Amino acid sequence: MRLSSPEDLELYREQLLRRVKPQRWVRVCAGTGCLAGGSQRVYEALVEEARRIGLDSPVKFQARCSGCHGFCEEGPLVVCGMRGSEVLYRKVRREDALEILLALADDRVVERLLYRDGREVYREERHIPFYALQMRKVLERCGKVDPRDVDHYISLGGYASLARALSMSPEEVIDLVTRAGLRGRGGGGFPAGQKWASCRSASGPQKFVLANGDEGDPGAFMDRSLMEGDPHSILEGMIIGAHAVGASKGFIYVRDEYPLAVENLTHAIREARRLGLLGRRILGSDLSFDVDICRGGGAFVCGESSALMASIEGRPGEPRVKYIRSTERGLWECPTVLNNVETWANVPIIIREGVEGYRSLGTKDSPGTKVFSLVGKVRRSGLVEVPMGTTLREIIFEIGGGVMGRNRFKAVQTGGPSGGCLPESKLDLPVDFDRLTREGSMMGSGGMIVMDHRSCMVDVARYFVKFLEGESCGKCAPCREGLKAMGEILEDLCSRRGRPGDVEMLLSMGNALTDTALCGLGQTAANPVLSTLRHFMEEYREHQDQGFCRAGVCRGMFVARVEADLCVSCGACAKVCPFDAIHRDPSGKFAVDQRCEGCGACLDVCPMGALLPSPRGVRE
Amino acid sequence: MSADHHDDRLREILHRYPRHPRFLLAFLQDVQREFKHVPRKAMEASSERFMVPMSRVYSVATFYRALSLVPRGRKTIKVCMGTACHLRGAPRVLEAIEEALQVRCGGTTRDGEFSVEAVNCLGACALAPVVMVEDRCYGSMTAAKVREMLEEERGR
């Protein structure tokens, strides 16, 4: 079956929509998070039990897998549908399969599997506060569409934007994308339309479009969910891009750590080829274009554009100095457009909604929505899509439900290793490309890591510098040697070996690195240090001058102290203390003696938060 | 595995890919998967087939973390050290694995069953801390759950 014109595609879609719909259905999340919780077994159990109880005709019942819903913390997730209504079940186990099906058959709901928050019970996904405040555009189909079934994607309106784009001239498509103001979602925020136009006008024997799926930032997984959960939306965007710039070949560069993304994308490409959506004369137009997958080799630096291209060419992934833009001479010296997978997935939305529609969300300079991965010490972690310009406070407190447990918010880290930490005073900052950069952080690819007062900012800076030190490709000295030297100072600060002048040294080295490194990753590598220095200087001073870690993270740099008013005499702290330093005092409360070595074990277990880190030598 | 069989497998993998330098990395990854390391023979064969100098094959084979010149265990345990996992206690999980297997991070157990590696973010942050064994994912790990995970993996 090959679709040889846009009309063919529409006819095919109508055919698919005319198929009898099942009266009842279940959709099991098969994203990485839910699979880890055993969702594959849940799916199998549902299929088997359905057969056993006679729910086996396609008219009566259908079971499908979907991609990631983004609410991974509550997985495995199962959505049941009946008579136009949907019910979301969370933390489903295979043993629940029969009960779910019996309830489904009688139009009942299994109350115990519903999502609860305090006293509220929620039946439908869209009412849960985590989703209610989101605006899902890029992730609209993620969690709904079966990523292994192109027909499902088409029946939900897929590839309609491609058909429309093919009826436009390449210049018209570029003009539309430019006026819509699409900016690169991978971190740089470079205007996509401008990139495309420059590639369009460049000359070369062949042109390429590339999708960057080398999501290396720790704490970010939106690209992964998109590649796993809605692969065709990325392909559709790339085919439109190929039409616009005149490319004949595309590559999707996927991280080595994402086997499921590789699998689902490979399957999607095969299906698209079968339908003639990839290959020669796509939908009867003059466009011939095909896509291959390139698996990364486990190197963070390959997320950088010139390193990524080197890697596709089969060389070590080392960046080069960009005197000439890759839109003129990129992959194999040919004009190349490289966009992040999320950027590509925005393209069909722009074609569908037009400039006005797309710009109705977001801010003037950063239109549209952005997907963030909200993780760390936050109550509801997962993928969050909001219009640009939403404040950090809304994202963390209203959607994410604030900080876990009884802890207090301290900072949010955005932009991965190239970004920085922002303190509570910056929570009302609207999130867009330029605002975050102005505050010394960065939007980056969209990682958002929440930290509470038990997170040590010097330790966080050390963590990122160590990360980058290990990932530095070693080509330029500022990055290779500078990160190593900064890492040593930070290591000293975190183990009571701080010296006067350390903090100043970090600051000057950080600035030098920013000014002199060769590639984008090196130039931003000092951001985690510089931003924590800017907003949390007092913590650095305490580490350097007093050998004190107020968060109780750096070993031996604090002693535990019991706040007697808060102690409920449960004794949990005494049980975990490896130094036998905690005992009941005459009043029945617990107290810490001089044997405390500052390991922090008791701080983690106290249910009341009654144990506090205090400087060594200061005791009750 | 006999030497002949070894060569046959290598040839089979080599012929999966057309003669173009760009398939070098993909080929070496397949070799790594099959033999748990990149043997010298494979590097020589790929140098010839993909028409690249041996020095470049070597530089690729040593640049990427997914490739190794010395044999790794039959199963690779990847302990996620991403930011979210770091904050939720991944270092303690790694310590527990090292202790249970009596092997340091980066090393391979004596029986050749497991290699232990620390990796930067597996992209399953909502399940932090995460450990991945081959392509199976274990979420919300604690030091106490390590033994159970290892037993399940040994049984596979």
Side-chain angles (χ1 to χ4, degrees):
Chain A
M1 166 85 202
R2 234 187 108 83
L3 306 170
S4 52
S5 68
E7 294 73 35
D8 259 14
L9 174 68
E10 281 317 309
L11 278 175
Y12 187 58
R13 195 192 318 279
E14 277 164 31
Q15 257 178 41
L16 293 174
L17 289 172
R18 269 203 302 275
R19 277 190 202 161
V20 190
K21 290 199 183 56
Q23 293 157 344
R24 295 180 172 80
W25 47 264
V26 295
R27 221 166 42 214
V28 183
C29 176
T32 296
C34 288
L35 282 176
S39 71
Q40 182 64 33
R41 287 195 294 268
V42 172
Y43 173 77
E44 284 159 10
L46 282 166
V47 172
E48 199 186 304
E49 294 289 354
R51 195 180 313 124
R52 224 163 51 85
I53 63 172
L55 271 177
D56 50 358
S57 81
V59 184
K60 283 193 214 152
F61 176 77
Q62 185 186 37
R64 271 187 187 278
C65 285
S66 76
C68 181
H69 294 236
F71 203 15
C72 313
E73 186 117 30
E74 295 290 329
L77 301 172
V78 174
V79 179
C80 288
M82 52 194 152
R83 299 174 190 236
S85 79
E86 284 188 17
V87 182
L88 173 78
Y89 295 133
R90 22 75 68 188
K91 296 202 193 271
V92 179
R93 292 169 307 142
R94 62 193 297 189
E95 296 85 81
D96 302 325
L98 184 60
E99 192 179 348
I100 289 174
L101 291 172
L102 291 175
L104 182 64
D106 298 346
D107 294 339
R108 283 183 295 110
V109 170
V110 185
E111 297 280 339
R112 66 181 178 87
L113 294 172
L114 295 176
Y115 178 74
R116 278 156 220 274
D117 191 359
R119 300 178 120 186
E120 284 306 308
V121 181
Y122 300 91
R123 278 175 66 124
E124 282 185 60
E125 194 166 83
R126 62 197 167 98
H127 295 143
I128 297 174
F130 179 77
Y131 289 102
L133 297 155
Q134 294 192 44
M135 184 73 80
R136 295 204 152 205
K137 287 282 187 185
V138 172
L139 295 180
E140 193 187 356
R141 276 179 297 248
C142 231
K144 294 199 174 70
V145 73
D146 183 345
R148 295 297 192 98
D149 186 2
V150 66
D151 288 353
H152 199 196
Y153 181 75
I154 290 176
S155 68
L156 293 174
Y159 288 110
S161 293
L162 170 64
R164 186 191 272 180
L166 289 175
S167 72
M168 300 158 68
S169 75
E171 287 75 15
E172 281 169 340
V173 176
I174 293 176
D175 179 58
L176 189 65
V177 171
T178 308
R179 282 189 296 125
L182 175 63
R183 295 176 67 173
R185 292 323 197 229
F190 192 82
Q194 202 177 320
K195 219 185 232 182
W196 293 17
S198 138
C199 182
R200 172 94 215 156
S201 59
S203 59
Q206 196 182 2
K207 288 177 187 173
F208 296 101
V209 293
L210 311 180
N212 188 345
D214 191 54
E215 186 173 52
D217 288 8
F221 60 106
M222 45 268 142
D223 296 352
R224 160 182 215 151
S225 293
L226 202 53
M227 290 187 283
E228 289 177 359
D230 193 9
H232 284 286
S233 68
I234 300 167
L235 286 182
E236 188 175 355
M238 287 179 77
I239 305 168
I240 295 170
H243 169 59
V245 306
S248 55
K249 178 86 194 172
F251 291 97
I252 307 178
Y253 191 89
V254 190
R255 253 187 112 195
D256 188 43
E257 284 83 352
Y258 291 177
L260 185 60
V262 172
E263 221 174 281
N264 286 2
L265 280 166
T266 309
H267 187 83
I269 290 173
R270 207 179 304 133
E271 288 198 305
R273 282 181 189 148
R274 178 172 56 84
L275 289 178
L277 296 163
L278 282 175
R280 293 170 61 81
R281 301 185 56 84
I282 293 168
L283 293 179
S285 70
D286 292 333
L287 175 67
S288 295
F289 175 70
D290 198 19
V291 172
D292 270 334
I293 289 176
C294 199
R295 264 185 307 148
F300 174 72
V301 69
C302 287
E304 198 274 345
S305 63
S306 58
L308 183 145
M309 291 176 204
S311 184
I312 294 179
E313 291 173 14
R315 292 185 287 126
E318 285 172 359
R320 62 169 173 84
V321 185
K322 280 174 266 182
Y323 301 117
I324 304 167
R325 289 199 175 278
S326 53
T327 46
E328 283 163 42
R329 266 161 60 185
L331 191 62
W332 288 298
E333 304 281 305
C334 295
T336 304
V337 163
L338 168 69
N339 282 129
N340 176 268
V341 291
E342 189 185 334
T343 317
W344 287 120
N346 266 282
V347 172
I349 300 173
I350 292 174
I351 304 284
R352 188 176 70 226
E353 301 194 342
V355 174
E356 298 279 299
Y358 189 74
R359 278 190 171 274
S360 68
L361 292 175
T363 60
K364 186 171 156 287
D365 294 320
S366 305
T369 58
K370 175 78 188 90
V371 186
F372 293 99
S373 77
L374 186 61
V375 297
K377 303 275 188 81
V378 65
R379 276 183 58 212
R380 296 188 280 261
S381 36
L383 287 185
V384 171
E385 183 174 351
V386 289
M388 298 262 197
T390 307
T391 65
L392 286 166
R393 192 183 296 280
E394 285 169 307
I395 297 174
I396 297 166
F397 287 86
E398 288 176 30
I399 297 175
V403 174
M404 278 171 130
R406 355 177 114 244
N407 295 356
R408 289 187 312 277
F409 175 86
K410 185 189 238 174
V412 56
Q413 207 278 348
T414 64
S418 310
C421 293
L422 297 169
E424 191 163 11
S425 61
K426 301 288 175 195
L427 275 180
D428 291 307
L429 203 69
V431 181
D432 67 20
F433 287 107
D434 312 307
R435 299 285 183 89
L436 286 179
T437 310
R438 223 174 295 151
E439 293 300 330
S441 185
M442 199 172 154
M443 175 107 89
S445 53
M448 207 171 258
I449 298 144
V450 177
M451 299 175 189
D452 60 13
H453 70 276
R454 284 295 319 279
S455 311
C456 167
M457 304 317 286
V458 184
D459 174 66
V460 166
R462 183 188 64 99
Y463 166 80
F464 278 114
V465 168
K466 286 279 163 191
F467 169 89
L468 289 159
E469 186 192 329
E471 294 293 349
S472 171
C473 79
K475 188 166 176 175
C476 74
C479 177
R480 184 183 66 233
E481 304 298 333
L483 285 170
K484 191 164 163 27
M486 286 166 79
E488 278 165 15
I489 297 177
L490 287 163
E491 197 73 62
D492 284 349
L493 285 175
C494 292
S495 45
R496 272 173 88 197
R497 291 194 304 266
R499 292 158 304 256
D502 274 354
V503 171
E504 287 70 22
M505 182 58 106
L506 276 179
L507 191 61
S508 100
M509 289 174 76
N511 286 325
L513 177 55
T514 306
D515 292 340
T516 56
L518 182 145
C519 78
L521 289 180
Q523 287 154 15
T524 53
N527 278 354
V529 178
L530 294 175
S531 72
T532 43
L533 279 169
R534 180 160 156 189
H535 298 296
F536 302 93
M537 182 55 105
E538 68 280 30
E539 277 192 51
Y540 277 91
R541 292 271 175 233
E542 282 166 3
H543 276 72
Q544 177 188 293
D545 302 333
Q546 302 164 36
F548 173 48
C549 174
R550 64 163 80 176
V553 170
C554 300
R555 258 167 197 259
M557 294 185 66
F558 61 94
V559 287
R561 182 173 59 81
V562 178
E563 191 71 64
D565 293 349
L566 294 173
C567 178
V568 291
S569 309
C570 70
C573 50
K575 275 195 209 106
V576 298
C577 180
F579 306 105
D580 195 25
I582 309 182
H583 292 281
R584 204 183 282 271
D585 68 11
S587 69
K589 309 265 180 184
F590 281 81
V592 186
D593 64 31
Q594 75 291 345
R595 278 172 289 185
C596 176
E597 299 266 339
C599 70
C602 53
L603 305 181
D604 292 332
V605 296
C606 180
M608 303 306 293
L611 281 137
L612 305 173
S614 51
R616 296 175 74 89
V618 182
R619 279 177 206 283
E620 292 155 277
Chain B
M1 211 186 298
S2 73
D4 278 354
H5 181 67
H6 218 97
D7 290 353
D8 287 348
R9 289 296 298 151
L10 196 59
R11 210 166 303 124
E12 192 269 313
I13 299 171
L14 200 57
H15 285 88
R16 279 178 203 166
Y17 297 101
R19 292 184 69 126
H20 190 288
R22 87 169 162 96
F23 297 105
L24 176 61
L25 177 57
F27 164 75
L28 293 177
Q29 281 173 325
D30 288 1
V31 169
Q32 174 76 39
R33 185 174 276 258
E34 174 85 21
F35 300 107
K36 301 297 168 192
H37 75 302
V38 179
R40 190 187 168 95
K41 223 178 222 175
M43 288 200 273
E44 285 164 355
S46 59
S47 160
E48 200 231 64
R49 176 155 181 96
F50 301 118
M51 301 166 294
V52 291
M54 189 62 183
S55 58
R56 191 159 120 204
V57 178
Y58 184 76
S59 79
V60 168
T62 49
F63 181 86
Y64 293 100
R65 194 176 310 176
L67 306 174
S68 163
L69 298 188
V70 291
R72 284 188 192 156
R74 276 181 286 280
K75 292 172 192 145
T76 304
I77 301 178
K78 294 180 179 169
V79 184
C80 180
M81 287 287 158
T83 325
C85 290
H86 178 81
L87 289 175
R88 290 196 192 175
R92 282 196 286 278
V93 174
L94 177 60
E95 272 171 33
I97 292 174
E98 288 177 326
E99 201 179 297
L101 293 176
Q102 286 296 305
V103 65
R104 293 297 293 268
C105 181
T108 302
T109 53
R110 236 160 228 251
D111 59 2
E113 185 68 14
F114 296 110
S115 287
V116 181
E117 285 173 23
V119 297
N120 295 322
C121 200
L122 293 165
C125 314
L127 304 171
V130 182
V131 175
M132 217 160 143
V133 185
E134 293 298 290
D135 43 22
R136 293 174 295 278
C137 206
Y138 295 83
S140 308
M141 283 300 289
T142 58
K145 282 158 112 180
V146 162
R147 201 157 285 281
E148 190 191 333
M149 176 193 86
L150 291 175
E151 259 159 41
E152 192 179 326
E153 282 301 328
R154 277 226 171 80
R156 274 177 188 277

